Amino acid sequence: AAGTDEAERHDLAAFCLLGPLNKMIAGLAEENPYRALLEAAREVLRGAYPGMTPAPSPVDRMRSHAGGCAPTAAGCGCGGETWAARPPASRDGREPAFKS
């Protein structure tokens, strides 16, 4: 991130780092030695960006629709499909069985 501008670093922290760090910390037991490392990384980000909150993840946004979804024009950006309506991915895992 050293070659990026401040806005890109801010977006990286908000959209890619803080949320996943919080989820990983919450998923680890207090005695797990990696928890302290993750907490330290989170504190460094909090120090660099005071008051920043993690941006909602696209998956969390999709789940908040409770199985349904609004059209893209409504602003969610997911295309208006429900995940339950999608067929499973192909067995080989190389390409999804669903193509839009």
Side-chain angles (χ1 to χ4, degrees):
T4 60
D5 67 17
E6 181 60 28
E8 288 174 332
R9 288 191 297 272
H10 182 275
D11 287 349
L12 177 67
F15 287 95
C16 302
L17 298 174
L18 281 176
L21 278 171
N22 288 336
K23 287 181 181 182
M24 288 186 282
I25 290 166
L28 292 176
E30 288 285 332
E31 62 274 0
N32 188 308
Y34 293 106
R35 185 179 173 119
L37 177 64
L38 295 172
E39 289 172 339
R42 181 179 61 187
E43 292 309 309
V44 167
L45 287 172
R46 285 181 175 170
Y49 302 101
M52 176 184 284
T53 57
S57 78
V59 172
D60 291 341
R61 289 179 61 196
M62 185 272 308
R63 287 181 182 146
S64 73
H65 290 301
C69 193
T72 304
C76 98
C78 72
E81 300 173 8
T82 60
W83 287 92
R86 288 187 176 192
S90 63
R91 289 188 178 266
D92 65 7
R94 289 185 294 157
E95 64 180 47
F98 176 83
K99 293 185 180 185
S100 50

Coordinates of all heavy atoms in Angstrom, one line a residue:
A1 N 0.8 -1.2 0.0 CA 0.0 0.0 0.0 C 0.9 1.3 0.0 O 0.3 2.3 0.0 CB -0.9 0.0 1.2
A2 N 2.2 1.1 0.0 CA 3.1 2.3 0.1 C 3.0 3.2 -1.1 O 3.1 4.4 -1.0 CB 4.5 1.8 0.3
G3 N 2.7 2.6 -2.3 CA 2.6 3.4 -3.5 C 1.2 3.9 -3.8 O 1.0 4.5 -4.9
T4 N 0.3 3.8 -2.9 CA -1.1 4.3 -3.2 C -1.3 5.6 -2.5 O -0.6 6.0 -1.6 CB -2.1 3.3 -2.6 OG1 -1.9 3.1 -1.2 CG2 -1.9 1.9 -3.3
D5 N -2.3 6.3 -2.9 CA -2.6 7.6 -2.3 C -3.5 7.4 -1.0 O -3.9 6.3 -0.8 CB -3.3 8.6 -3.3 CG -4.6 8.1 -3.7 OD1 -5.3 7.3 -3.1 OD2 -5.1 8.7 -4.7
E6 N -3.7 8.4 -0.3 CA -4.4 8.3 1.0 C -5.8 7.8 0.8 O -6.3 7.0 1.6 CB -4.4 9.7 1.7 CG -5.1 9.7 3.0 CD -4.5 8.7 4.0 OE1 -3.3 8.5 4.0 OE2 -5.2 8.2 4.9
A7 N -6.5 8.2 -0.2 CA -7.9 7.7 -0.4 C -7.9 6.2 -0.7 O -8.8 5.5 -0.2 CB -8.5 8.5 -1.6
E8 N -7.0 5.7 -1.4 CA -6.9 4.3 -1.7 C -6.6 3.5 -0.4 O -7.1 2.4 -0.2 CB -5.9 4.0 -2.8 CG -6.3 4.4 -4.2 CD -5.2 4.2 -5.2 OE1 -4.0 4.3 -4.8 OE2 -5.6 4.0 -6.4
R9 N -5.7 4.0 0.4 CA -5.3 3.4 1.7 C -6.6 3.4 2.6 O -6.8 2.4 3.3 CB -4.1 4.0 2.3 CG -2.8 3.8 1.6 CD -1.6 4.2 2.4 NE -1.6 5.7 2.6 CZ -1.1 6.5 1.8 NH1 -0.5 6.1 0.7 NH2 -1.1 7.8 2.1
H10 N -7.3 4.5 2.6 CA -8.5 4.6 3.4 C -9.5 3.5 3.0 O -10.1 2.8 3.8 CB -9.1 6.0 3.3 CG -10.3 6.2 4.2 ND1 -11.6 5.8 3.7 CD2 -10.4 6.7 5.4 CE1 -12.4 6.1 4.7 NE2 -11.8 6.6 5.7
D11 N -9.7 3.4 1.7 CA -10.7 2.4 1.1 C -10.2 1.0 1.4 O -11.0 0.1 1.8 CB -10.9 2.6 -0.3 CG -11.7 3.8 -0.7 OD1 -12.3 4.4 0.2 OD2 -11.8 4.2 -1.9
L12 N -8.9 0.7 1.3 CA -8.4 -0.6 1.6 C -8.7 -1.0 3.1 O -9.2 -2.1 3.3 CB -6.9 -0.6 1.4 CG -6.2 -1.9 1.7 CD1 -6.6 -3.1 0.8 CD2 -4.7 -1.8 1.7
A13 N -8.5 0.0 4.0 CA -8.8 -0.3 5.4 C -10.2 -0.5 5.6 O -10.7 -1.5 6.3 CB -8.2 0.8 6.3
A14 N -11.1 0.3 5.1 CA -12.5 0.3 5.3 C -13.2 -0.9 4.6 O -14.0 -1.6 5.2 CB -13.2 1.6 4.8
F15 N -12.8 -1.2 3.4 CA -13.5 -2.2 2.6 C -12.9 -3.6 2.7 O -13.5 -4.6 2.5 CB -13.6 -1.8 1.2 CG -14.6 -0.7 0.9 CD1 -14.2 0.6 0.9 CD2 -16.0 -1.0 0.8 CE1 -15.1 1.6 0.7 CE2 -16.9 0.0 0.6 CZ -16.5 1.3 0.6
C16 N -11.6 -3.7 3.0 CA -10.9 -5.0 2.9 C -10.3 -5.5 4.2 O -10.0 -6.7 4.3 CB -9.8 -4.9 1.8 SG -10.4 -4.4 0.2
L17 N -10.0 -4.6 5.1 CA -9.2 -5.0 6.3 C -10.0 -5.1 7.6 O -10.0 -6.1 8.3 CB -7.9 -4.2 6.4 CG -7.0 -4.2 5.3 CD1 -5.8 -3.3 5.5 CD2 -6.4 -5.7 5.1
L18 N -10.6 -4.0 7.9 CA -11.3 -3.9 9.3 C -12.4 -4.9 9.5 O -12.4 -5.6 10.5 CB -11.8 -2.5 9.5 CG -10.8 -1.4 9.9 CD1 -11.5 -0.1 10.0 CD2 -10.1 -1.8 11.2
G19 N -13.3 -5.1 8.5 CA -14.3 -6.1 8.7 C -13.8 -7.5 8.8 O -14.2 -8.2 9.8
P20 N -13.0 -7.9 7.9 CA -12.4 -9.3 8.1 C -11.6 -9.5 9.4 O -11.7 -10.5 10.0 CB -11.5 -9.5 6.9 CG -12.2 -8.6 5.8 CD -12.7 -7.4 6.6
L21 N -10.8 -8.4 9.8 CA -10.1 -8.5 11.0 C -11.1 -8.7 12.2 O -10.9 -9.6 13.1 CB -9.3 -7.3 11.3 CG -7.9 -7.2 10.6 CD1 -7.3 -5.9 10.8 CD2 -7.0 -8.3 11.1
N22 N -12.1 -7.9 12.2 CA -13.1 -8.1 13.3 C -13.8 -9.5 13.3 O -13.9 -10.1 14.4 CB -14.2 -7.0 13.2 CG -13.7 -5.6 13.5 OD1 -12.8 -5.5 14.3 ND2 -14.4 -4.6 13.0
K23 N -14.1 -10.0 12.1 CA -14.7 -11.3 12.1 C -13.7 -12.4 12.5 O -14.1 -13.4 13.2 CB -15.2 -11.6 10.7 CG -16.4 -10.8 10.3 CD -16.9 -11.2 8.9 CE -18.1 -10.3 8.6 NZ -18.7 -10.6 7.3
M24 N -12.4 -12.3 12.1 CA -11.5 -13.3 12.5 C -11.2 -13.2 14.0 O -11.1 -14.3 14.7 CB -10.1 -13.1 11.8 CG -10.2 -13.5 10.3 SD -8.6 -13.4 9.5 CE -8.5 -11.7 9.2
I25 N -11.2 -12.0 14.6 CA -11.0 -11.9 16.0 C -12.1 -12.5 16.8 O -11.9 -13.2 17.8 CB -10.8 -10.4 16.4 CG1 -9.4 -9.9 15.9 CG2 -10.9 -10.2 17.9 CD1 -9.2 -8.4 15.9
A26 N -13.3 -12.2 16.3 CA -14.5 -12.7 17.0 C -14.6 -14.3 16.9 O -15.1 -14.9 17.8 CB -15.8 -12.1 16.4
G27 N -14.0 -14.8 15.9 CA -14.0 -16.3 15.7 C -12.9 -17.1 16.5 O -13.0 -18.3 16.5
L28 N -12.0 -16.3 17.1 CA -10.9 -17.0 17.8 C -11.1 -16.9 19.3 O -11.5 -15.9 19.8 CB -9.6 -16.3 17.4 CG -9.1 -16.5 16.0 CD1 -7.8 -15.8 15.8 CD2 -8.9 -18.0 15.7
A29 N -10.7 -18.0 19.9 CA -10.8 -18.0 21.4 C -9.8 -17.1 22.0 O -8.8 -16.8 21.4 CB -10.5 -19.4 21.9
E30 N -10.1 -16.6 23.2 CA -9.2 -15.6 23.8 C -7.7 -16.2 23.9 O -6.8 -15.4 23.8 CB -9.7 -15.3 25.2 CG -10.9 -14.4 25.3 CD -10.6 -12.9 25.0 OE1 -9.5 -12.5 25.2 OE2 -11.5 -12.3 24.4
E31 N -7.6 -17.5 24.2 CA -6.3 -18.0 24.4 C -5.5 -18.3 23.1 O -4.3 -18.7 23.1 CB -6.4 -19.3 25.2 CG -7.2 -20.4 24.6 CD -8.7 -20.3 24.9 OE1 -9.1 -19.4 25.6 OE2 -9.4 -21.2 24.5
N32 N -6.1 -18.1 21.9 CA -5.5 -18.4 20.6 C -4.4 -17.4 20.4 O -4.6 -16.1 20.5 CB -6.5 -18.3 19.5 CG -5.9 -18.8 18.2 OD1 -4.9 -18.3 17.8 ND2 -6.6 -19.7 17.6
P33 N -3.2 -17.8 20.2 CA -2.0 -16.8 20.1 C -2.2 -15.9 18.8 O -1.6 -14.8 18.9 CB -0.8 -17.7 19.9 CG -1.3 -19.0 19.5 CD -2.7 -19.2 20.0
Y34 N -2.9 -16.3 17.8 CA -3.1 -15.4 16.7 C -4.1 -14.3 16.9 O -4.1 -13.3 16.2 CB -3.6 -16.3 15.5 CG -2.5 -17.2 15.0 CD1 -2.6 -18.6 15.2 CD2 -1.3 -16.7 14.3 CE1 -1.6 -19.4 14.8 CE2 -0.3 -17.6 13.9 CZ -0.5 -18.9 14.2 OH 0.5 -19.8 13.8
R35 N -4.9 -14.5 17.9 CA -5.9 -13.4 18.2 C -5.2 -12.1 18.6 O -5.6 -11.0 18.1 CB -6.8 -13.9 19.4 CG -7.9 -12.8 19.7 CD -8.8 -13.3 20.8 NE -9.7 -12.3 21.1 CZ -11.0 -12.3 21.0 NH1 -11.6 -13.4 20.6 NH2 -11.8 -11.3 21.3
A36 N -4.1 -12.2 19.4 CA -3.4 -11.0 19.8 C -2.7 -10.3 18.6 O -2.7 -9.1 18.5 CB -2.3 -11.3 20.8
L37 N -2.3 -11.1 17.6 CA -1.7 -10.5 16.4 C -2.7 -9.8 15.6 O -2.5 -8.7 15.1 CB -1.1 -11.7 15.6 CG -0.5 -11.3 14.2 CD1 0.7 -10.3 14.4 CD2 -0.1 -12.5 13.4
L38 N -3.9 -10.4 15.5 CA -5.0 -9.7 14.7 C -5.5 -8.5 15.4 O -5.8 -7.5 14.8 CB -6.2 -10.7 14.5 CG -5.9 -11.9 13.6 CD1 -7.0 -12.9 13.7 CD2 -5.5 -11.5 12.2
E39 N -5.6 -8.6 16.8 CA -6.0 -7.4 17.5 C -5.0 -6.2 17.4 O -5.3 -5.1 17.3 CB -6.1 -7.7 19.0 CG -7.4 -8.6 19.3 CD -7.5 -9.1 20.7 OE1 -6.4 -9.2 21.4 OE2 -8.6 -9.4 21.1
A40 N -3.7 -6.6 17.3 CA -2.6 -5.6 17.1 C -2.8 -4.9 15.8 O -2.7 -3.7 15.6 CB -1.3 -6.2 17.3
A41 N -3.0 -5.7 14.7 CA -3.2 -5.2 13.4 C -4.4 -4.2 13.4 O -4.4 -3.2 12.8 CB -3.4 -6.3 12.4
R42 N -5.5 -4.6 14.0 CA -6.7 -3.8 14.1 C -6.4 -2.5 14.8 O -6.8 -1.4 14.4 CB -7.8 -4.5 14.8 CG -9.1 -3.7 14.8 CD -10.2 -4.5 15.5 NE -9.9 -4.8 16.8 CZ -10.7 -5.6 17.6 NH1 -11.8 -6.1 17.2 NH2 -10.3 -5.8 18.9
E43 N -5.6 -2.5 15.9 CA -5.3 -1.3 16.6 C -4.4 -0.4 15.8 O -4.6 0.9 15.9 CB -4.6 -1.6 17.9 CG -5.6 -2.3 18.9 CD -6.9 -1.5 19.1 OE1 -6.9 -0.3 19.4 OE2 -8.0 -2.2 19.0
V44 N -3.5 -0.9 15.0 CA -2.7 -0.1 14.1 C -3.6 0.6 13.1 O -3.5 1.9 12.9 CB -1.6 -0.9 13.4 CG1 -1.0 -0.1 12.2 CG2 -0.6 -1.4 14.3
L45 N -4.6 -0.1 12.5 CA -5.5 0.6 11.6 C -6.4 1.6 12.3 O -6.6 2.7 11.8 CB -6.4 -0.5 10.9 CG -5.7 -1.4 9.9 CD1 -6.6 -2.5 9.4 CD2 -5.3 -0.5 8.7
R46 N -6.8 1.3 13.5 CA -7.6 2.3 14.2 C -6.8 3.5 14.6 O -7.3 4.6 14.6 CB -8.2 1.7 15.5 CG -9.3 0.7 15.3 CD -9.8 0.1 16.6 NE -11.0 -0.7 16.4 CZ -11.5 -1.5 17.4 NH1 -10.9 -1.5 18.6 NH2 -12.5 -2.2 17.1
G47 N -5.5 3.4 14.8 CA -4.7 4.5 15.1 C -4.5 5.3 13.8 O -4.4 6.6 13.9
A48 N -4.3 4.7 12.7 CA -4.1 5.4 11.5 C -5.4 6.1 10.9 O -5.3 7.1 10.3 CB -3.6 4.4 10.4
Y49 N -6.5 5.5 11.3 CA -7.8 6.0 10.8 C -8.8 6.1 11.9 O -9.7 5.3 12.0 CB -8.4 5.1 9.7 CG -7.4 5.0 8.5 CD1 -6.6 3.9 8.4 CD2 -7.3 6.0 7.6 CE1 -5.7 3.8 7.3 CE2 -6.4 5.9 6.5 CZ -5.6 4.8 6.4 OH -4.8 4.7 5.3
P50 N -8.6 7.0 12.9 CA -9.5 7.1 14.0 C -11.0 7.3 13.6 O -11.3 8.0 12.7 CB -9.0 8.4 14.8 CG -7.7 8.7 14.2 CD -7.6 8.1 12.8
G51 N -11.9 6.5 14.3 CA -13.3 6.6 14.0 C -13.8 5.9 12.8 O -15.0 5.8 12.6
M52 N -12.9 5.2 12.1 CA -13.3 4.5 10.9 C -14.1 3.2 11.3 O -13.7 2.6 12.3 CB -12.1 4.1 10.1 CG -12.5 3.2 8.9 SD -11.1 2.6 8.0 CE -10.6 4.1 7.1
T53 N -15.1 3.0 10.6 CA -15.9 1.7 10.8 C -15.8 0.9 9.5 O -15.6 1.5 8.4 CB -17.3 2.0 11.1 OG1 -17.9 2.8 10.1 CG2 -17.5 2.7 12.5
P54 N -15.8 -0.4 9.7 CA -15.7 -1.2 8.5 C -16.9 -1.0 7.6 O -18.0 -0.9 8.0 CB -15.6 -2.7 9.0 CG -15.8 -2.6 10.4 CD -15.9 -1.2 10.9
A55 N -16.7 -1.0 6.3 CA -17.8 -1.0 5.3 C -18.5 -2.3 5.4 O -17.9 -3.3 5.6 CB -17.2 -0.7 3.9
P56 N -19.8 -2.3 5.1 CA -20.5 -3.6 5.1 C -20.1 -4.4 4.0 O -19.8 -3.9 2.9 CB -22.0 -3.2 5.0 CG -22.0 -1.7 4.6 CD -20.7 -1.2 4.9
S57 N -19.9 -5.7 4.2 CA -19.4 -6.6 3.2 C -20.6 -6.9 2.2 O -21.8 -6.9 2.6 CB -18.9 -7.9 3.8 OG -20.0 -8.8 4.1
P58 N -20.3 -7.2 1.0 CA -21.4 -7.5 0.0 C -22.2 -8.7 0.4 O -23.4 -8.8 0.3 CB -20.6 -7.8 -1.3 CG -19.3 -7.0 -1.1 CD -19.0 -7.1 0.3
V59 N -21.5 -9.7 1.1 CA -22.2 -10.9 1.5 C -23.2 -10.5 2.6 O -24.3 -10.9 2.6 CB -21.2 -12.0 2.0 CG1 -22.0 -13.1 2.6 CG2 -20.4 -12.4 0.8
D60 N -22.8 -9.7 3.6 CA -23.7 -9.3 4.7 C -24.8 -8.5 4.1 O -26.0 -8.6 4.6 CB -22.9 -8.4 5.7 CG -21.9 -9.3 6.5 OD1 -22.1 -10.5 6.5 OD2 -21.0 -8.7 7.1
R61 N -24.6 -7.6 3.1 CA -25.6 -6.8 2.5 C -26.6 -7.8 1.8 O -27.8 -7.6 1.9 CB -25.1 -5.9 1.5 CG -24.3 -4.7 2.2 CD -23.7 -3.7 1.2 NE -24.8 -3.1 0.4 CZ -24.5 -2.5 -0.7 NH1 -23.3 -2.3 -1.2 NH2 -25.5 -1.9 -1.4
M62 N -26.1 -8.8 1.1 CA -27.0 -9.7 0.5 C -27.9 -10.5 1.5 O -29.1 -10.7 1.3 CB -26.2 -10.7 -0.4 CG -27.0 -11.7 -1.2 SD -27.5 -13.2 -0.5 CE -26.0 -13.9 0.2
R63 N -27.2 -10.9 2.6 CA -28.0 -11.6 3.6 C -29.0 -10.8 4.3 O -30.1 -11.3 4.7 CB -27.0 -12.1 4.7 CG -26.2 -13.3 4.2 CD -25.3 -13.8 5.3 NE -24.4 -14.9 4.8 CZ -23.2 -15.1 5.2 NH1 -22.6 -14.3 6.1 NH2 -22.5 -16.1 4.6
S64 N -28.8 -9.5 4.4 CA -29.8 -8.6 5.0 C -31.1 -8.5 4.2 O -32.1 -8.1 4.7 CB -29.2 -7.2 5.2 OG -29.1 -6.5 4.0
H65 N -31.0 -8.9 2.9 CA -32.2 -8.9 2.1 C -33.1 -10.1 2.4 O -34.2 -10.2 1.9 CB -31.9 -9.0 0.6 CG -31.3 -7.7 0.1 ND1 -31.9 -6.5 0.2 CD2 -30.1 -7.4 -0.4 CE1 -31.1 -5.5 -0.3 NE2 -30.0 -6.1 -0.7
A66 N -32.7 -11.0 3.3 CA -33.5 -12.2 3.7 C -34.0 -13.0 2.6 O -35.2 -13.4 2.5 CB -34.6 -11.7 4.7
G67 N -33.2 -13.3 1.6 CA -33.6 -14.2 0.5 C -34.1 -13.5 -0.7 O -34.1 -14.1 -1.7
G68 N -34.5 -12.3 -0.6 CA -35.0 -11.6 -1.7 C -34.0 -10.4 -2.0 O -33.2 -10.1 -1.2
C69 N -34.2 -9.7 -3.1 CA -33.3 -8.7 -3.3 C -34.0 -7.6 -4.2 O -34.9 -7.9 -4.9 CB -32.1 -9.2 -4.1 SG -30.7 -8.0 -4.1
A70 N -33.5 -6.4 -4.0 CA -34.1 -5.3 -4.8 C -33.4 -5.2 -6.1 O -32.3 -5.7 -6.3 CB -33.9 -4.0 -4.0
P71 N -34.0 -4.6 -7.1 CA -33.3 -4.4 -8.4 C -32.1 -3.6 -8.2 O -32.0 -2.8 -7.3 CB -34.4 -3.7 -9.3 CG -35.7 -3.8 -8.5 CD -35.3 -4.1 -7.1
T72 N -31.2 -3.7 -9.2 CA -29.9 -2.9 -9.1 C -30.2 -1.5 -9.0 O -29.5 -0.7 -8.3 CB -29.1 -3.2 -10.4 OG1 -28.9 -4.6 -10.5 CG2 -27.8 -2.5 -10.3
A73 N -31.2 -1.0 -9.7 CA -31.6 0.4 -9.7 C -31.8 0.9 -8.2 O -31.7 2.1 -8.0 CB -32.8 0.7 -10.5
A74 N -32.2 0.0 -7.3 CA -32.5 0.4 -6.0 C -31.2 0.7 -5.2 O -31.3 1.1 -4.1 CB -33.3 -0.6 -5.3
G75 N -30.1 0.4 -5.8 CA -28.8 0.7 -5.1 C -28.0 -0.4 -4.5 O -26.9 -0.2 -4.0
C76 N -28.6 -1.6 -4.4 CA -27.8 -2.7 -3.8 C -26.7 -3.2 -4.7 O -25.7 -3.7 -4.2 CB -28.7 -3.8 -3.2 SG -28.8 -5.2 -4.2
G77 N -26.9 -3.2 -6.0 CA -25.8 -3.6 -6.9 C -25.6 -5.0 -7.1 O -24.7 -5.5 -7.7
C78 N -26.5 -5.8 -6.5 CA -26.3 -7.3 -6.7 C -27.0 -7.9 -7.9 O -26.9 -9.1 -8.1 CB -26.7 -8.0 -5.4 SG -28.5 -8.0 -5.2
G79 N -27.7 -7.1 -8.6 CA -28.4 -7.6 -9.8 C -29.8 -8.1 -9.6 O -30.4 -8.5 -10.6
G80 N -30.3 -8.0 -8.4 CA -31.7 -8.4 -8.2 C -32.0 -9.8 -8.1 O -33.2 -10.2 -8.0
E81 N -31.0 -10.7 -8.1 CA -31.3 -12.1 -8.1 C -31.3 -12.6 -6.6 O -30.7 -11.9 -5.7 CB -30.2 -12.9 -8.7 CG -30.0 -12.6 -10.2 CD -28.7 -13.3 -10.7 OE1 -28.1 -14.1 -10.0 OE2 -28.4 -13.0 -11.8
T82 N -31.9 -13.7 -6.3 CA -31.8 -14.3 -5.0 C -30.8 -15.4 -5.1 O -30.8 -16.1 -6.2 CB -33.2 -14.8 -4.5 OG1 -33.6 -15.8 -5.4 CG2 -34.2 -13.7 -4.4
W83 N -30.0 -15.6 -4.1 CA -29.0 -16.6 -4.2 C -29.6 -18.0 -4.2 O -29.1 -18.9 -4.7 CB -28.0 -16.5 -3.0 CG -27.1 -15.3 -3.2 CD1 -27.3 -14.1 -2.8 CD2 -25.9 -15.3 -4.0 NE1 -26.3 -13.3 -3.2 CE2 -25.4 -14.0 -3.9 CE3 -25.2 -16.3 -4.6 CZ2 -24.2 -13.7 -4.5 CZ3 -24.0 -16.0 -5.2 CH2 -23.5 -14.6 -5.2
A84 N -30.8 -18.1 -3.5 CA -31.5 -19.4 -3.5 C -31.9 -19.9 -4.9 O -32.0 -21.1 -5.1 CB -32.7 -19.4 -2.6
A85 N -32.1 -19.0 -5.8 CA -32.5 -19.3 -7.1 C -31.4 -19.8 -8.0 O -31.6 -20.3 -9.1 CB -33.2 -18.1 -7.8
R86 N -30.2 -19.6 -7.6 CA -29.0 -20.0 -8.4 C -28.7 -21.5 -8.3 O -28.7 -22.0 -7.2 CB -27.8 -19.2 -8.0 CG -27.8 -17.8 -8.4 CD -26.4 -17.2 -8.1 NE -26.4 -15.8 -8.5 CZ -25.3 -15.1 -8.6 NH1 -24.2 -15.6 -8.3 NH2 -25.4 -13.9 -9.0
P87 N -28.5 -22.1 -9.4 CA -28.1 -23.5 -9.3 C -26.7 -23.6 -8.7 O -25.9 -22.7 -8.7 CB -28.1 -24.0 -10.8 CG -28.2 -22.8 -11.6 CD -28.6 -21.6 -10.7
P88 N -26.3 -24.8 -8.2 CA -25.0 -25.0 -7.6 C -23.9 -24.8 -8.7 O -24.1 -25.0 -9.9 CB -25.0 -26.4 -7.1 CG -26.1 -27.1 -7.8 CD -27.1 -26.0 -8.2
A89 N -22.7 -24.6 -8.2 CA -21.5 -24.5 -9.1 C -21.2 -25.8 -9.7 O -21.6 -26.9 -9.2 CB -20.3 -24.0 -8.3
S90 N -20.5 -25.9 -10.8 CA -20.1 -27.1 -11.4 C -19.2 -28.0 -10.5 O -18.6 -27.4 -9.6 CB -19.4 -26.9 -12.7 OG -18.1 -26.2 -12.5
R91 N -19.2 -29.2 -10.7 CA -18.5 -30.1 -9.8 C -17.0 -29.9 -9.8 O -16.3 -30.1 -8.9 CB -18.8 -31.6 -10.2 CG -20.2 -32.0 -9.8 CD -20.3 -33.5 -10.0 NE -21.6 -34.0 -9.6 CZ -21.9 -34.4 -8.3 NH1 -20.9 -34.5 -7.5 NH2 -23.1 -34.8 -8.0
D92 N -16.5 -29.5 -11.0 CA -15.0 -29.3 -11.1 C -14.6 -28.0 -10.5 O -13.4 -27.8 -10.3 CB -14.5 -29.4 -12.5 CG -15.1 -28.3 -13.4 OD1 -15.7 -27.4 -12.9 OD2 -14.8 -28.4 -14.6
G93 N -15.5 -27.1 -10.1 CA -15.2 -25.9 -9.5 C -14.5 -24.8 -10.3 O -14.2 -23.7 -9.9
R94 N -14.3 -25.1 -11.6 CA -13.7 -24.2 -12.5 C -14.6 -23.1 -13.0 O -14.2 -22.0 -13.3 CB -13.0 -24.9 -13.6 CG -11.7 -25.7 -13.2 CD -11.0 -26.3 -14.3 NE -11.9 -27.3 -14.9 CZ -11.8 -27.7 -16.2 NH1 -10.8 -27.2 -16.9 NH2 -12.6 -28.6 -16.6
E95 N -15.8 -23.4 -13.2 CA -16.8 -22.4 -13.7 C -18.1 -22.7 -13.1 O -18.5 -23.8 -12.8 CB -16.9 -22.5 -15.2 CG -17.5 -23.7 -15.8 CD -17.6 -23.7 -17.3 OE1 -16.6 -23.4 -18.0 OE2 -18.6 -24.1 -17.8
P96 N -18.8 -21.6 -12.8 CA -20.1 -21.8 -12.2 C -21.1 -22.4 -13.2 O -21.0 -22.2 -14.4 CB -20.5 -20.4 -11.8 CG -19.7 -19.5 -12.7 CD -18.5 -20.2 -13.0
A97 N -22.1 -23.1 -12.6 CA -23.1 -23.7 -13.5 C -24.1 -22.6 -13.9 O -24.7 -22.7 -14.9 CB -23.8 -24.8 -12.7
F98 N -24.1 -21.5 -13.2 CA -25.0 -20.4 -13.5 C -24.3 -19.4 -14.2 O -23.2 -19.0 -13.9 CB -25.5 -19.8 -12.1 CG -26.4 -18.6 -12.3 CD1 -27.7 -18.7 -12.6 CD2 -25.8 -17.3 -12.2 CE1 -28.5 -17.6 -12.8 CE2 -26.6 -16.2 -12.4 CZ -27.9 -16.3 -12.7
K99 N -24.8 -18.9 -15.3 CA -24.2 -17.9 -16.1 C -25.3 -16.8 -16.4 O -26.4 -17.1 -16.8 CB -23.7 -18.4 -17.4 CG -22.5 -19.3 -17.2 CD -21.9 -19.7 -18.5 CE -20.7 -20.6 -18.3 NZ -20.0 -20.9 -19.4
S100 N -25.0 -15.6 -16.1 CA -26.0 -14.5 -16.4 C -25.9 -13.9 -17.7 O -25.0 -14.2 -18.5 CB -25.8 -13.4 -15.3 OG -24.5 -13.0 -15.2

